[in-house]
Structure formats: C-alpha cells, structure tokens
Amino acid sequence: MKNTLLLLLLLTSLYATPSNYSIIVKKPFNSALFDITQDYDRTLSAVGFSKNYKNNSNTALSYTNAFDYLASTSQTFGSQMHIMKVDKTAKIILSKVSNLPKFNEAIAVVKTPANGYFIGGYTLNGSLLVVKLDARGNLLYSKTFGTKNYDRMNNLILMSDGGVLAIGSSITSRSNSDNIFNSGLGNNDIFITRFSKNGQKLWSKKYGTMYDDRGIDAVEARDGSIIVISTTSYEKNRDVSIMRLTENGNRVWLKHYQEKGNDDNTVIPKKIIRLKDNNFVVALTQYNHMRKEHIRLIKFDLYQNILIDKEIFTTYPSEINDIKEYSDGKFIAVGYVKDSFNTDGLAMILDSNFVLLTQEHYGQENYDVFNGVTIMHNSQAAIAGVHTDNASQETNMWITKLNRDASMAQVSTSADSIYEKLREIFKDELKSKKIEIKKDLSINVIDSELYFEAGAYKLTSKQKSFLSLLSSKLMPFLYANKEDIRTLEINGHTSSEWGKSNFTDTYLNNEKLSLNRSYETMSHIFKKQNKHTQVWLSQVLRGSGYSSSQHIKYSNIESKKKSRRVSFKVVLK
C-alpha cells in the first residue's frame, strides 16, 4: 500500500514544491478528529476529542478496599470535545477543549451565520450533547438531552432554518414518564431530535421495530422533509432502511433493503448526502462472502426510485466514512483501506455515475483513517481523521488537504514569506540596484539603463536580456507556489509630458504608450516559458497601463526618466 504521509514544514529549496499540508496533533493517550468545516475567513475548523484530567480530591485518603479506591479514581481523566482551527499556512490558530462537567466526545460540526459552530456529540455516560460556540470557540450554551437510558449520537445536520437535527440511537425506555417513547419499540431505536437556531428543542422522537434499530445519518430535502438512513438487526440479518419524515418528524414512507443473513453480503449504511439535482446518494459498506468490506453507492430520488446502484471493488478491503459532491457532479469520498499489515486513509475521486477515476492511500505503517471531508472554496478538500505513529499505540488528531485529483495539497505561504523568498531569489539584483522589492510584493525596475526613452515602447537588447534573467528566476518560483497566486501584474508607466498636447490628448497618448510597454514586456516574458507555465500564466497574468498617474517624484519634482518604466506585482489569494 502507498505510504505518503509527509510531515511538516520545510521548503527543500527556493524552487522546490512547498511542503504537503498535513497536520498531526499529538496529545496524551488517544485523540481523534471526526468532522471538519471551512470557516468564512477561509480557515478550517475540525472537531473530535482529546483527553482531559481532573484532580482527585481524595488523594490523601487511604483505602482498605480495592473497589472503593477504583471508584474514587474512575473520574480522574477522560475524553473532552476538542475544536481545532488552522490557517492556510498549516498554523494552528485555535485549540480548545470543552471542559464540560461530564466526559464527552464530539462527532460533528456545522457553521452558524455568525461564523460560530454547532457541535454535536455525546457524553460517555450515555447522554446526547449539542454545543454552540462563537467564532473564537467560546461556549455560548450546551444542551444535554436524551432518555434515561444509554444514547449515542451519530451525526448533527444543519437545517435550512438555521437549526440542527441530531440523529443517533437510544436504548429502549420502559419508563411511563417518557411519554414520547411509549410505542413498544425494542432494543436500540432510532432517535432524532430537532433544535431551532436558538437552541430550543422543537421535537424529539423515536422510530424502529422490536429489533435492534440504529440511526446512522439524515439529510434535509429541498421541500423541508427529512431523509433518514438506519439499520435493523435481527438474528443473522441486517436490513438497511431509508425513511422520509415531515419537517415535524412524522413518517411519510419507509423502505427496507433486506440482505441475506448467512454472513454473506452484509450491508452497513455510512453516509447520506443531497445532490445538487435534489436527488440523494447513500454510501454503504458491503461485505462479500469472504467478509471483506468494499464500497457500494446508491442514488435515489424523493419517491424511493433507485437511479444508480453501484459496487466499487478495490484490491484491498475499503470503506467510506464521508462523501461530498463537487460543483461539476463529481465526488470525493474518504475513509480507510486496509491489508493484513496496516490501515491507511483512503481518498477516491468518482464521476457522476460513480465510476472510480482515481484513488490514493495516505498513512504510515500503522493505523490511519480519514473520518470527515469538506470541499473548500478553491475545490481542494479538507479532511479530518486519525493518525498513528509507527511503533505507537496511541491515535493522534490529523488534518490534511487534498487537490481535485486526490494528491496531497501544499502548504500556502504568507505575504511575508513570499517577500522574504523574493528578496533571497533576487539578492544579486537588489545589491546591484537593478530592482527594488516592496512588502506589498511589487517589483520595480530602478536601473537607469533599463528605463524607456521618451515615446518608446519597443524593448532594447539590454531590457530583453534583463527581462529574460528576471523571468528565469521569478516564473519557476511563482509556478511552484501557484496555489497561492491570484494575479501577476505587469504594469506600464510613463512620464507626464506629451509635447504641446492638451490634457486629454496627453493622458490618452500616455495611456496607450503605457499599455504598449506593458504588452511588449508581457509578450517577451510569456514567450520564454514552457507550455505548462504558459497555460497557468494565461489564467493569472494581467497587463495594464497607468499612463502617468504613478510617475516618480523626488522632493515634489518629477523624474521623467525614472517614470518611463514597467513594474511587476504579485497578488496573493
């Protein structure tokens, strides 16, 4: 299996590809991340759990009974939900633990309009938990809910009214005081609760049979109804169920997909999403007769019609934990792939008919899993998961980014970093005063032999020679950092005079001249590049003429010679 986890964060040289975007956060004992979202400021936030500790107030006591001692230490440490925020340079800018009264784990995160978060999870003693945080991760409120028995949340879904829907499972309640649970259900049951955007519980209901039912995931349809996927287990059978509810939780229809129970073709639903065409895709794990898991995807509409049902066979056992749709109808799916030696994070790119286009495995010689994925504004995918170091038994929190082809994305660089690298690349030209580089990433030509003569725009041999040298250094660096480059500007400038013309003619003639200077410079540089660089430059290169609006002055006196120039500016995303 392919092992390509590269840890942070060095540039091997000025012209080398930037480091891969892969952040491993190590905490004492096991920790993990389960879901991830992009914030409105383009940073990423992921949630999961890490271990937190409580002081034992009875440390001075002595015990004669071992069980009394164990009881006194049973709450000294445990899981607490953890939110982590990282920027495009792979810097951790926020890392907070909930410190709620009961130990708990977070399994899902959704954004609020104020750039805050709803986080869903459960306490380790069997209660369900919805937490609302502000943009800095500060607690606004927490809601603990559920039955008097053991409950478990599987997902938290953002609704169109700004509220959230929690779905999971609950052990059957036999208490007459739980009025909504007197339906005679049995074992585990599907448990769904809906909250308003202000945290008010709108309704809470159970669904299921006399057997073992578990709520897996849900999604809101365009008309406000809710599509729920679940499982029903009995004897050797496990059925997959798809249910449609009204916005108030009343059942509209229920469809069971029954599988043979002889340990053959067992199916487990994992995720459901609504597509841009308002149909739905459910990702399932399909076990074959060898008890090896592989991937099955089913597309269906609001009226229970199956549109596509496809199994994806891979060399190694594989499973999807999350799937998202790109704007062009393709999909990225993430999960794990394993052989007899180790487990790696799995990323797949599929077309709109679920045909596998490419897949990549990421990890080391141990246990690595991708749990959640979100598609970012620039079509990269951000992933939350679990990484385990070699020769270690403890899992760590893992955030990584992938490109559209499932290759590892690269760490973005800041303006300060680009500025310092440009100064290093052009240290000779800076020393000889041929150019100056400013912190706004503009590059100005200041050598008197490289200015234009009055009215001229064709390049001299010295100008051509210098531009060839400049582009041979600048273009490879910009191309290596192309994920961070929005625009490369080449700007032409003139002095303010134009013979005895009036203001209108002077401005227009100088504007045309400055555009010609920009074009001649751009054309010379563009022709010097290879095809790959030219294709990229065609998307980011911008030429403009400033006429004499930015002429050079010294002590309020215009330097006409130095005003007749071209300048460059790098604009970052």
Side-chain angles (χ1 to χ4, degrees):
M1 298 171 65
K2 186 176 181 181
N3 296 299
T4 57
L5 176 60
L6 302 177
L7 298 180
L8 303 172
L9 280 172
L10 295 174
L11 286 173
T12 55
S13 74
L14 286 171
Y15 300 104
T17 301
S19 300
N20 289 341
Y21 196 107
S22 181
I23 305 170
I24 307 297
V25 182
K26 299 179 181 181
K27 298 288 183 179
F29 297 97
N30 289 333
S31 60
L33 294 174
F34 294 106
D35 199 13
I36 192 166
T37 186
Q38 186 171 34
D39 302 312
Y40 304 147
D41 58 3
R42 309 304 197 192
T43 57
L44 296 171
S45 292
V47 297
F49 73 89
S50 58
K51 299 296 184 181
N52 196 29
Y53 296 84
K54 293 184 178 180
N55 292 326
N56 184 1
S57 60
N58 297 321
T59 53
L61 298 179
S62 60
Y63 298 90
T64 58
N65 185 305
F67 293 102
D68 290 340
Y69 172 75
L70 291 174
S72 74
T73 61
S74 62
Q75 291 294 305
T76 56
F77 72 93
S79 299
Q80 288 279 4
M81 64 171 56
H82 198 123
I83 182 168
M84 185 160 298
K85 188 169 183 173
V86 297
D87 65 14
K88 66 179 183 178
T89 66
K91 179 183 178 182
I92 297 173
I93 55 179
L94 178 68
S95 180
K96 279 197 173 183
V97 177
S98 64
N99 290 321
L100 295 173
K102 297 179 180 179
F103 295 126
N104 60 88
E105 295 184 5
I107 49 88
V109 59
V110 296
K111 294 297 297 180
T112 67
N115 202 27
Y117 313 90
F118 278 115
I119 298 176
Y122 50 86
T123 66
L124 298 191
N125 67 343
S127 298
L128 302 178
L129 190 63
V130 169
V131 173
K132 189 174 184 181
L133 307 178
D134 66 15
R136 292 297 304 164
N138 299 311
L139 180 67
L140 299 177
Y141 63 74
S142 64
K143 303 284 185 179
T144 302
F145 61 102
T147 70
K148 294 180 180 180
N149 301 303
Y150 188 85
D151 302 327
R152 181 76 174 256
M153 191 186 297
N154 274 344
N155 204 1
L156 189 73
I157 299 98
L158 181 66
M159 307 299 284
S160 56
D161 63 359
V164 290
L165 187 84
I167 179 170
S169 303
S170 175
I171 295 292
T172 297
S173 172
R174 299 301 184 188
S175 171
N176 291 330
S177 64
D178 294 331
N179 295 324
I180 64 173
F181 305 128
N182 292 334
S183 54
L185 307 181
N187 297 324
N188 276 294
D189 298 310
I190 304 163
F191 189 22
I192 301 178
T193 303
R194 183 166 184 173
F195 292 90
S196 72
K197 63 182 179 181
N198 297 319
Q200 177 186 0
K201 187 166 71 172
L202 302 177
W203 52 263
S204 187
K205 296 184 179 182
K206 272 193 176 185
Y207 312 83
T209 67
M210 61 181 294
Y211 302 110
D212 190 10
D213 303 286
R214 297 179 184 270
I216 304 299
D217 198 12
V219 68
E220 186 179 24
R222 182 175 58 176
D223 64 356
S225 62
I226 302 163
I227 307 299
V228 178
I229 56 170
S230 60
T231 61
T232 300
S233 301
Y234 54 97
E235 298 175 351
K236 291 185 178 181
N237 298 312
R238 178 181 278 126
D239 297 346
V240 176
S241 300
I242 301 179
M243 177 171 58
R244 182 182 177 193
L245 308 176
T246 67
E247 63 180 12
N248 295 318
N250 301 318
R251 194 167 71 188
V252 179
W253 52 254
L254 172 67
K255 186 166 185 176
H256 287 287
Y257 295 89
Q258 297 182 331
E259 301 292 339
K260 299 292 183 181
N262 55 1
D263 291 334
D264 187 18
N265 292 325
T266 300
V267 178
I268 301 175
K270 301 292 291 186
K271 193 72 178 178
I272 185 172
I273 60 171
R274 191 180 92 190
L275 304 181
K276 291 177 175 59
D277 63 6
N278 294 304
N279 292 312
F280 307 91
V281 168
V282 58
L284 308 105
T285 299
Q286 177 92 45
Y287 287 84
N288 60 24
H289 67 282
M290 298 291 291
R291 298 298 298 159
K292 301 295 186 183
E293 60 265 49
H294 60 274
I295 296 158
R296 182 176 174 184
L297 297 170
I298 298 176
K299 180 179 179 180
F300 63 96
D301 64 19
L302 196 58
Y303 309 102
Q304 310 176 50
N305 300 306
I306 303 297
L307 306 177
I308 304 176
D309 187 345
K310 186 177 180 63
E311 293 184 44
I312 300 174
F313 296 97
T314 54
T315 304
Y316 300 101
S318 303
E319 182 172 294
I320 286 177
N321 288 326
D322 199 3
I323 185 170
K324 293 292 191 297
E325 182 188 23
Y326 288 104
S327 58
D328 62 1
K330 294 179 182 177
F331 298 91
I332 180 168
V334 301
Y336 70 80
V337 56
K338 65 181 180 180
D339 61 16
S340 57
F341 302 103
N342 72 315
T343 300
D344 282 347
L346 170 67
M348 289 180 161
I349 305 296
L350 308 115
D351 71 11
S352 58
N353 294 312
F354 307 144
V355 174
L356 180 61
L357 302 177
T358 186
Q359 66 171 312
E360 294 290 346
H361 306 165
Y362 292 97
Q364 292 181 317
E365 298 293 340
N366 217 322
Y367 181 78
D368 303 281
V369 175
F370 289 156
N371 288 322
V373 62
T374 187
I375 296 176
M376 301 171 62
H377 69 288
N378 61 358
S379 295
Q380 289 181 327
I383 299 170
V386 173
H387 165 71
T388 311
D389 289 338
N390 290 340
S392 174
Q393 303 303 311
E394 296 179 354
T395 60
N396 305 298
M397 294 182 281
W398 187 12
I399 298 174
T400 190
K401 284 185 190 178
L402 301 183
N403 297 315
R404 276 296 302 265
D405 61 356
S407 63
M408 188 77 78
Q410 297 157 0
V411 174
S412 298
T413 47
S414 66
D416 287 343
S417 176
I418 294 286
Y419 171 71
E420 294 300 331
K421 290 165 189 168
L422 286 174
R423 290 189 63 83
E424 177 63 24
I425 291 171
F426 292 109
K427 60 184 179 181
D428 293 337
E429 289 74 18
L430 290 169
K431 185 176 181 179
S432 60
K433 299 190 181 304
K434 291 187 179 297
I435 62 171
E436 65 176 6
I437 301 176
K438 296 185 177 180
K439 283 202 168 184
D440 67 353
L441 304 185
S442 59
I443 303 173
N444 300 314
V445 178
I446 58 174
D447 186 343
S448 60
E449 294 186 347
L450 299 175
Y451 294 128
F452 289 89
E453 296 296 328
Y457 63 87
K458 292 292 184 181
L459 298 175
T460 66
S461 58
K462 286 185 177 180
Q463 288 173 323
K464 288 180 178 179
S465 177
F466 172 76
L467 290 173
S468 296
L469 174 65
L470 181 141
S471 63
S472 70
K473 294 183 176 184
L474 181 62
M475 294 307 163
F477 171 73
L478 296 182
Y479 187 78
N481 292 274
K482 63 181 184 294
E483 298 298 332
D484 302 314
I485 308 300
R486 184 183 302 278
T487 308
L488 173 61
E489 298 178 357
I490 300 180
N491 303 311
H493 304 271
T494 70
S495 54
S496 61
E497 84 280 10
W498 192 276
K500 297 181 180 181
S501 300
N502 59 33
F503 178 82
T504 299
D505 290 340
T506 296
Y507 171 78
L508 292 176
N509 287 332
N510 275 325
E511 176 62 18
K512 183 178 180 180
L513 178 59
S514 65
L515 285 169
N516 285 338
R517 287 171 177 171
S518 171
Y519 175 78
E520 289 294 317
T521 302
M522 181 189 302
S523 175
H524 178 79
I525 290 175
F526 191 83
K527 291 175 182 178
K528 294 289 184 180
Q529 310 310 309
N530 59 41
K531 184 64 177 292
H532 292 299
T533 305
Q534 284 184 339
V535 170
W536 173 68
L537 282 174
S538 69
Q539 304 298 314
V540 302
L541 199 56
R542 299 288 182 271
S544 61
Y546 278 87
S547 188
S548 60
S549 63
Q550 295 186 8
H551 59 260
I552 304 298
K553 285 184 177 181
Y554 295 100
S555 301
N556 252 355
I557 300 174
E558 178 184 358
S559 172
K560 294 180 179 180
K561 182 175 183 179
K562 291 185 177 181
S563 296
R564 302 167 189 146
R565 71 200 190 279
V566 288
S567 63
F568 305 84
K569 186 170 183 178
V570 178
V571 181
L572 302 182
K573 293 180 180 177

